[in-house]
Amino acid sequence: MASPAPVSAGTLLKQPSFLFFLLSRSLTRFASQIGAVAIGWQIYDLTGSAFDLGMVGLVQFLPTALLVFVAGHTADRFERKRVVQLCQLAEAATAVFLCWGSYGGWITGVHIYIATFVLGMAGAFESPTIAALLPLIAPQGSLQRATALSSAAAQVATITGPAIGGFAYAVAPGLPYGIMLGFWLLAMLLTGGISVTEPEPARDSETSDDIFAGVRFIRSNPAILGTISLDLFAVLFGGVTALLPIYARDILDAGPMGLGILRAAPAVGALIMTTILARHAINRRVGMRMFQAVIVFGVATVVFAVSHWMWLSLLALAALGAADTISVVIRFSLVQLSTPNEMRGRVGAVNFLFINASNYLGQFESGVAAALLGTMASAVLGGVATVAIALLWMKLFPTLRDVERLE
């Protein structure tokens, strides 16, 4: 694929719109990570049930499954940054509800599930819209670096966000939600300062009103189908995030602060890897590199599952985060570069459905499996399944395995 000379990371960071995008996404990630710690610990504190903890993932996933096609069509039909701002406003309002209920002492598991469902609705629209917005901000030939920088900015928030959430919850259960409110409001203001470098999608194209065009496009492209389905099934079985409150309290005896540190560990590894990728893009055998990263992800999951030492658990989670970052950067760049601008919202929505299915249904699966098999056995089997899926997908999707370059 012919492309202009690559744009350096330093040049990208000097562009105001890209900088606003990074700051807005970082604040949004701050808020979501603080919320993940607070909601997870609060649910487990109220119920003491691994099953109820897993239900948080299912409740947050349902809006994505129900709204996937509407969300994608919205991202392609309306001004993308305005859609993102409306989503951030809805998230801020939900944080007000959670803060009020926690300080008032009347909040219950049902209230938290309702708030989680609303956050899932906002995320169903926000995430594919953000994904479709980035290619309009990044100069041609720089999407892989822009994706790495975007991931790095989000990971900085992911490193400190869980620790802030754990500390704030230890001070007062309502405090994390108050912090989330401020971050989402500021992110909404920053999003308003973004301007795109090319026109918004045309409204009169043949597929502009076809909400299922994204599905047909993905089915016709084996490399895209392979990469998003690999993420779905690998993380569905290999994710251990839902079990971190159990590990923190019952296995590692680390408490709320320890939970925040555990949740931050994958982001430390991810930040290191995104820093490397921002300077040194993957220029050859990108398909094989993604499969190798998924295998490392599975192995690191097994190491974490059997660890009884905090230092080893943190190392395993950091390796897991670094491997996942390689997969994310390749997947995002491959999908965006292979998709026409006027369809990026709908394709991104389907991609986000797969991502949410892997994250939130994986959280539900982990909670159910932990309740039936035990926490450690569930996590070990998940890591082994991830490795097996990566090996199987290498055989099923040779087109993806043989992808040599992205840009």
Side-chain angles (χ1 to χ4, degrees):
M1 180 184 300
S3 63
V7 176
S8 69
T11 301
L12 280 171
L13 291 173
K14 293 177 181 177
Q15 298 188 7
S17 288
F18 186 69
L19 187 58
F20 287 147
F21 179 92
L22 290 184
L23 292 173
S24 175
R25 187 170 184 230
S26 295
L27 289 168
T28 295
R29 181 62 64 90
F30 255 119
S32 63
Q33 291 299 312
I34 291 171
V37 170
I39 289 172
W41 192 271
Q42 195 166 30
I43 281 288
Y44 196 53
D45 202 31
L46 288 171
T47 68
S49 168
F51 178 81
D52 290 341
L53 189 61
M55 279 294 294
V56 174
L58 179 62
V59 170
Q60 197 158 2
F61 168 72
L62 285 176
T64 302
L66 296 173
L67 300 171
V68 55
F69 300 114
V70 176
H73 186 254
T74 300
D76 285 336
R77 190 72 177 174
F78 300 101
E79 187 179 1
R80 287 168 180 164
K81 72 174 185 179
R82 300 304 179 198
V83 174
V84 173
Q85 285 183 299
L86 287 174
C87 293
Q88 291 166 337
L89 180 61
E91 289 162 337
T94 307
V96 171
F97 172 79
L98 289 168
C99 183
W100 178 33
S102 296
Y103 273 117
W106 50 261
I107 198 165
T108 66
V110 173
H111 293 132
I112 296 174
Y113 287 139
I114 291 172
T116 301
F117 187 85
V118 175
L119 292 175
M121 290 179 63
F125 285 90
E126 183 180 8
S127 291
T129 308
I130 287 177
L133 187 61
L134 181 56
L136 300 181
I137 300 170
Q140 288 186 345
S142 66
L143 184 59
Q144 189 180 160
R145 277 195 171 87
T147 301
L149 286 171
S150 177
S151 297
Q155 295 303 338
V156 170
T158 305
I159 291 170
T160 52
I164 292 173
F167 177 78
Y169 189 88
V171 174
L175 182 58
Y177 305 122
I179 297 173
M180 291 159 59
L181 169 63
F183 284 164
W184 267 318
L185 291 177
L186 183 54
M188 184 176 65
L189 294 176
L190 289 167
T191 302
I194 295 173
S195 60
V196 300
T197 56
E198 60 182 82
E200 286 289 315
R203 312 300 181 200
D204 56 352
S205 64
E206 294 181 2
T207 61
S208 62
D209 292 321
D210 185 354
I211 64 174
F212 300 109
V215 175
R216 285 193 291 272
F217 181 82
I218 291 172
R219 289 181 59 187
S220 66
N221 192 315
I224 293 180
L225 178 61
T227 190
I228 65 176
S229 60
L230 173 64
D231 178 78
L232 166 64
F233 290 104
V235 181
L236 176 64
F237 294 107
V240 294
T241 303
L243 304 179
L244 290 184
I246 301 175
Y247 271 90
R249 196 181 79 169
D250 301 336
I251 296 176
L252 299 172
D253 194 24
M257 282 294 294
L259 174 61
I261 295 171
L262 286 171
R263 287 193 66 96
V268 173
L271 179 60
I272 294 172
M273 183 54 65
T274 50
T275 302
I276 294 172
L277 294 178
R279 294 178 60 87
H280 307 286
I282 302 173
N283 293 320
R284 58 185 298 272
R285 301 190 68 193
V286 293
M288 184 59 69
R289 296 290 178 262
M290 186 174 68
F291 282 113
Q292 292 168 344
V294 174
I295 292 172
V296 172
F297 181 94
V299 173
T301 298
V302 173
V303 173
F304 172 80
V306 300
S307 171
H308 285 81
W309 300 280
M310 189 68 169
W311 66 268
L312 180 58
S313 299
L314 293 174
L315 285 176
L317 289 172
L320 182 152
D324 186 53
T325 294
I326 296 175
S327 175
V328 167
V329 170
I330 293 175
R331 181 179 69 247
F332 183 89
S333 299
L334 178 64
V335 171
Q336 295 300 323
L337 290 171
S338 302
T339 305
N341 180 49
E342 65 272 10
M343 290 180 59
R344 281 178 176 146
R346 283 162 290 180
V347 171
V350 177
N351 186 27
F352 182 59
L353 173 65
F354 277 65
I355 293 172
N356 253 11
S358 62
N359 290 333
Y360 297 130
L361 287 184
Q363 184 176 347
F364 175 68
E365 179 271 336
S366 295
V368 173
L372 295 176
L373 304 175
T375 301
M376 192 170 293
S378 168
V380 168
L381 289 175
V384 172
T386 297
V387 175
I389 288 167
L391 296 174
L392 177 61
W393 253 239
M394 289 176 65
K395 298 293 185 181
L396 295 178
F397 296 94
T399 303
L400 175 60
R401 183 194 63 209
D402 296 336
V403 171
E404 181 69 16
R405 301 176 63 88
L406 290 174
E407 297 181 89

